């Protein structure tokens, strides 16, 4: 998995900081997560081949997470897109986007398919051979979901040196890849495990923004390889979290620690802070593996 | 009047070009004309004091002219705006903007007043002591208006040297400014024209985008000091004008010539052209005073 941060600052877009949007590459998929104003320009700036985006996941309907969506959908139309585009987001998103297109008398020439969410329980919203996506219900001022992206386990890989050493015929390779043991010319059976290597562990990525500190998400994100958790504030402004339903860097780190994730990426910084380095320092006091999101930064998961 | 171009390219925003938006400063007013995606960032970039914007004029509901509006209105809210904000635009604009705010459960804490337009005739939509604004019905794929901004005539100005020379008492100045003649100590009447200077001629600015070539606008824009007229295409692509209802640079210049305007500013360039200089060259063949809009450029009118 490869994660590209297009924007990771809260509230209003500014000259050099952008509201929330991320691209997650998982095998052949390019998933867009949230779409603040200016996302399409960020996609161009960081040279993302955005015609490859077929699935867009919107966490909630605050402007800094979806006001770039009408423009992106319109741009897909102008670029002559024909492939289906799937949009997953809170109930109401379909009415909003279709109204904007209708007013401009510019309906899309590609199928635009909305998957409106309203469940307060986690649900599986995308599933194919290589990856599944399920919602992570969050606690924010409006109905909000995070998203858990999980790679599917892949078969063990044929070990070319081993099949050569045991002198296994090529005609058996397909069966061995599918789990069969090998058979040598003299009839000796060679166990599958000797002829194949364990595949890389399937990766998982949990996106959790916006939310206040919420231990209810722990069962869903436990052992995730990477957790992106919002940290709008530092502990010095913790008093603002209850009213705004946001988290501090320390709270994000507490969630990361309790969920025993591989590493934590912080983002959705309030623009009141001069430097974002303090977010890392605060989180490191609680959890050892902390990264800072920043616009244009990429992470290998 | 001072015009700042925030964006002047057609269709999709790109890394270095922005869709339509302009700020027109007329005396104490700061008018925003159109609001493509990213307008609020352009306002910051060019250091426009955008809390001073109280009136926003939207020509039509294609995305490149209004998709930045929900974000700008939300930002006004986040900045704690209290003053009224007036939005003038085609019918439907109120439903669109209010839906986006409602979905985010974030209604404004300032009065947001919509003036929905649907007339196909020119109408006066704003009028105060210093300036009037009326619509210029255009011919585009959807209902579209341009806007004509006209300064009001101002009183003649007291000529300090003249009142000194004629030895007119200070107590008469106010009356003289209001048109009265002066009276010297010996009773001699001095005509007002000798004590005052003619004020600068009131300026006018006509914004016409998007539109196909349309002579019906001539009576409304004749003698305007400055005309901004869209030139999406060059003459070499004139065949596209009929279907898309846009204009070429040559057509914009023909309108400028027939309307005898002071000067012509071209904009709304299709992004298919590598350089915009060709637009000026084409227009100069028809009309002598041609300027090219570009993002961040300012014009004194």
């Amino acid at each position: 998995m490869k994660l590209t941060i297009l924007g990771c600052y809260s509230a209003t877009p500014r000259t050099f900081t952008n509201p929330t949007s991320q691209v997650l590459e998982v095998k052949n998929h390019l998933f867009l997560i949230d779409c603040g104003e200016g996302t399409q320009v960020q996609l161009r700036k960081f040279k993302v081949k955005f015609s490859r985006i077929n699935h867009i996941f919107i966490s909630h309907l605050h402007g800094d997470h979806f006001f770039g969506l009408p423009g992106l959908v319109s741009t897909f139309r102008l670029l002559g897109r024909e492939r289906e585009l799937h949009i997953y987001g809170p109930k109401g998103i379909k009415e909003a986007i279709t109204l904007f297109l209708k007013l401009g008398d510019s309906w899309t020439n590609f199928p635009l398919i909305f998957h409106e969410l309203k469940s307060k329980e986690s649900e599986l919203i995308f599933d194919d051979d290589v990856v599944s996506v399920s919602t992570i219900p969050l606690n924010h001022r409006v109905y909000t979901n995070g998203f858990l992206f999980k790679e599917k386990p892949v078969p063990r890989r044929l070990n070319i040196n081993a099949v050569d050493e045991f002198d296994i015929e090529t005609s058996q390779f397909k069966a061995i890849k599918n789990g069969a043991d090998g058979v040598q010319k003299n009839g000796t059976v060679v166990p599958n495990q000797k002829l194949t290597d364990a595949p890389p562990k399937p990766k998982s990525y949990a996106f959790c923004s916006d939310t206040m500190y919420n231990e209810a998400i722990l069962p869903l994100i436990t052992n995730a390889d990477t957790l992106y958790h919002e940290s709008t504030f530092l502990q010095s402004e913790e008093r603002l979290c209850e009213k705004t339903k946001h988290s501090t860097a320390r709270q994000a780190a507490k969630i990361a620690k309790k969920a025993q994730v591989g590493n934590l990426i912080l983002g959705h910084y309030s623009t009141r802070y001069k430097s974002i380095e303090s977010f890392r320092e605060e989180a490191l006091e609680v959890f050892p593996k902390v990264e800072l999101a920043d616009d244009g930064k990429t992470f290998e998961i």
Side-chain angles (χ1 to χ4, degrees), chain A:
Chain A
M1 290 188 182
K2 183 185 166 195
L3 178 69
T4 302
I5 307 294
L6 302 172
C8 64
Y9 289 79
S10 70
T12 73
R14 299 180 306 169
T15 312
F16 301 108
T17 65
N18 291 273
T20 302
S21 188
Q22 311 186 345
V23 170
L24 183 71
E25 193 167 356
V26 188
K27 305 234 161 85
N28 55 334
H29 291 297
L30 209 55
F31 294 128
L32 186 70
I33 308 167
D34 280 352
C35 190
E37 184 174 350
T39 291
Q40 61 174 315
V41 174
Q42 293 293 93
L43 285 166
R44 287 185 197 270
K45 188 170 168 189
F46 300 120
K47 304 201 188 309
V48 177
K49 291 212 185 316
F50 61 100
S51 63
R52 280 187 53 213
I53 294 171
N54 298 324
H55 302 273
I56 301 177
F57 300 89
I58 301 293
S59 63
H60 66 298
L61 299 182
H62 279 154
D64 56 332
H65 294 255
F66 96 107
F67 279 180
L69 194 52
L72 182 61
V73 171
S74 297
T75 291
F76 278 135
R77 184 183 66 83
L78 288 170
L79 297 178
R81 181 189 181 103
E82 294 181 355
R83 243 185 311 178
E84 285 181 356
L85 180 66
H86 294 264
I87 296 176
Y88 307 76
K91 191 166 163 46
I93 195 167
K94 179 177 178 176
E95 183 189 357
I97 301 303
T98 50
L99 175 62
F100 266 49
L101 297 175
K102 193 185 78 177
L103 286 172
D105 203 7
S106 52
W107 189 242
T108 63
N109 36 8
F110 56 88
L112 182 59
I113 299 156
F114 290 92
H115 305 263
E116 293 202 316
L117 308 175
K118 54 187 180 182
S119 172
K120 288 180 176 171
E121 308 293 325
S122 174
E123 35 177 10
L124 181 70
I125 55 175
F126 177 86
D127 190 58
D128 72 0
D129 290 348
V130 299
V131 60
S132 70
V133 186
S134 34
T135 58
I136 305 168
L138 299 176
N139 185 352
H140 191 43
R141 302 196 301 278
V142 293
Y143 176 73
T144 304
N145 287 296
F147 301 103
L148 178 66
F149 300 82
K150 283 175 77 171
E151 282 182 352
K152 294 284 177 72
V154 292
R156 293 176 66 87
R157 292 171 176 183
L158 196 70
N159 182 329
I160 292 295
N161 292 332
V163 291
D164 193 43
E165 192 184 316
F166 287 103
D167 203 16
I168 303 293
E169 285 179 349
T170 323
S171 59
Q172 298 180 43
F173 286 5
K174 197 176 167 193
I176 292 170
K177 280 185 198 168
N178 287 330
D181 294 334
V183 183
Q184 291 178 298
K185 278 174 194 151
N186 62 7
T188 310
V189 170
V190 184
N192 183 278
Q193 292 227 342
K194 287 195 173 175
L195 302 171
T196 56
D197 292 325
K201 185 179 156 281
K203 302 291 189 209
S204 58
Y205 171 62
F207 169 89
C208 295
S209 187
D210 297 353
T211 186
M212 66 184 298
Y213 181 81
N214 179 20
E215 293 190 1
I217 68 176
L218 292 175
L220 298 168
I221 65 169
T222 292
N223 293 325
D225 292 284
T226 296
L227 165 66
Y228 176 95
H229 193 291
E230 73 127 290
S231 58
T232 306
F233 299 115
L234 293 173
Q235 213 186 335
S236 46
E237 278 67 45
E238 192 180 348
R239 66 189 183 284
L240 300 176
C241 290
E242 180 64 35
K243 189 187 163 205
T244 63
K245 300 218 172 180
H246 283 301
S247 307
T248 65
R250 167 175 282 269
Q251 290 171 337
K254 273 176 77 177
I255 292 289
K257 186 181 180 186
K258 283 178 190 275
Q260 300 172 61
V261 300
N263 69 332
L264 167 67
I265 301 175
L266 296 175
H268 201 265
Y269 318 109
S270 161
T271 51
R272 77 183 59 210
Y273 303 106
K274 287 238 165 59
S275 149
I276 57 176
E277 194 49 49
S278 318
F279 288 87
R280 192 204 317 255
E281 288 163 14
E282 183 173 301
L284 279 173
E285 290 169 16
V286 175
F287 185 74
K289 292 194 169 177
V290 180
E291 304 263 14
L292 293 178
D294 210 350
D295 300 3
K297 210 166 168 180
T298 61
F299 297 92
E300 296 288 343
I301 296 168

